Amino acid sequence: MANAIPIALTIAGSDSGGGAGIQADLKAFSAAGVYGASVITAITAQNTVAVTAVHEVPADVVRAQVDAVLSDLSVGAIKIGMLFSPAIIEAVAEALSGFKGPVVLDPVMIAKSGDALLQDAAVRAMVETLIPRADLLTPNLPEAAKLLGLDHAQTLDEMEHQAHALLSMGPKAVLMKGGHAAGGTCTDMLLTAEGMTTLQASRVDTINTHGTGCTYSSSIAARLASGVAIEDAVRAAHAYLQGAIVASDQLEIGAGHGPVHHFHQLWAAHD
């Protein structure tokens, strides 16, 4: 159907607090006017303060979820987030072997609370099986350093060097997210075979940044599912996320790192 709503699929963990993971992805898809399907890889007991438990979904059940969605829905793009274990990574890689659309891989490793969301043994599996399959890899600075076995990038030159090193691992593009850097300006770098694009935004004075990485990558995937070119998709998602962070204090959710405001463009501001 020519007028069908675009569909995006998220493969990620569930956040019981609703601010990150599958829940954030589906909110970002909806905010972009895209229908969201989901494959849950792990169930987390999580809120704005901590992750208190993680239950891994069996790899064959993860595979069955992917097969069920792709056999019926016309998925335009896939976002991959928390995978947790080597077995799940292998299952996802196998399940996507026939998928022809763009894949955004967000290498989720650590929650905002500092809790681990990826087993150490799974890093190698991700590097070997999924990163070469990704159309866009979206690490933050700690994740990029972990993937490369290097220290956290401290300068823009170091960020660019690490982006090139990650691109050599096989993805078609790399988005280095600079939110963990110091300073009043956050700088992201998008590196493709055509060159480097830099995106900047003023740092927002808020602790409510739970789910920023999930939201960013899924917002990009939603736009790719709609047929938007990768640089334009990243620019649009970057602007959307900045607005969601600016509006995050309106929500007043939880006692820790609250979520960004996924529907800041749709909901009326609270008095």
Side-chain angles (χ1 to χ4, degrees):
M1 293 175 61
N3 296 321
I5 298 296
I7 300 172
L9 168 64
T10 169
I11 303 174
S14 173
D15 172 6
S16 55
I22 287 284
Q23 288 82 351
D25 297 341
L26 293 176
K27 290 172 186 177
F29 289 167
S30 295
V34 171
Y35 180 87
S38 63
V39 168
I40 297 177
T41 60
I43 300 168
T44 69
Q46 184 176 173
N47 53 31
T48 65
V49 177
V51 178
T52 56
V54 176
H55 175 71
E56 179 181 357
V57 174
D60 61 333
V61 178
V62 174
R63 173 65 188 267
Q65 291 177 79
V66 179
D67 290 344
V69 173
L70 295 184
S71 66
D72 182 44
L73 278 63
S74 298
V75 173
I78 294 175
K79 174 266 172 86
I80 301 174
M82 177 186 177
L83 295 173
F84 191 64
S85 71
I88 291 177
I89 290 172
E90 294 289 346
V92 170
E94 292 173 2
L96 297 187
S97 60
F99 180 70
K100 304 302 182 184
V103 173
V104 177
L105 174 59
D106 188 28
V108 175
M109 297 181 182
I110 301 174
K112 189 70 67 180
S113 60
D115 298 280
L117 299 177
L118 183 71
Q119 295 174 348
D120 287 341
V123 176
R124 179 180 293 276
M126 180 178 290
V127 169
E128 293 178 349
T129 63
L130 276 182
I131 287 180
R133 172 65 182 85
D135 292 86
L136 177 64
L137 179 68
T138 64
N140 59 32
L141 299 186
E143 291 162 350
K146 180 76 170 179
L147 289 171
L148 294 168
L150 299 174
D151 292 334
H152 186 306
Q154 300 294 330
T155 67
L156 294 181
D157 285 344
E158 290 177 351
M159 280 182 64
E160 183 172 353
H161 172 76
Q162 292 191 11
H164 280 280
L166 290 170
L167 192 67
S168 71
M169 290 181 172
K172 293 180 181 177
V174 175
L175 176 63
M176 291 283 286
K177 300 177 296 190
H180 286 75
T185 299
C186 296
T187 300
D188 297 344
M189 292 181 175
L190 173 65
L191 178 64
T192 69
E194 288 71 42
M196 179 77 75
T197 299
T198 300
L199 303 94
Q200 294 184 321
S202 297
R203 189 177 299 277
V204 180
D205 184 17
T206 181
I207 65 168
N208 296 321
T209 55
H210 185 52
T212 49
C214 303
T215 299
Y216 200 177
S217 56
S218 55
S219 183
I220 295 168
R223 287 160 174 81
L224 293 177
S226 300
V228 177
I230 189 165
E231 182 174 338
D232 293 335
V234 170
R235 288 188 180 279
H238 181 265
Y240 162 75
L241 178 62
Q242 181 70 359
I245 296 172
V246 168
S248 64
D249 288 353
Q250 296 175 12
L251 293 177
E252 299 180 352
I253 303 294
H257 294 280
V260 300
H261 195 333
H262 294 91
F263 299 118
H264 64 279
Q265 297 167 321
L266 301 174
W267 296 1
H270 295 291
D271 295 329

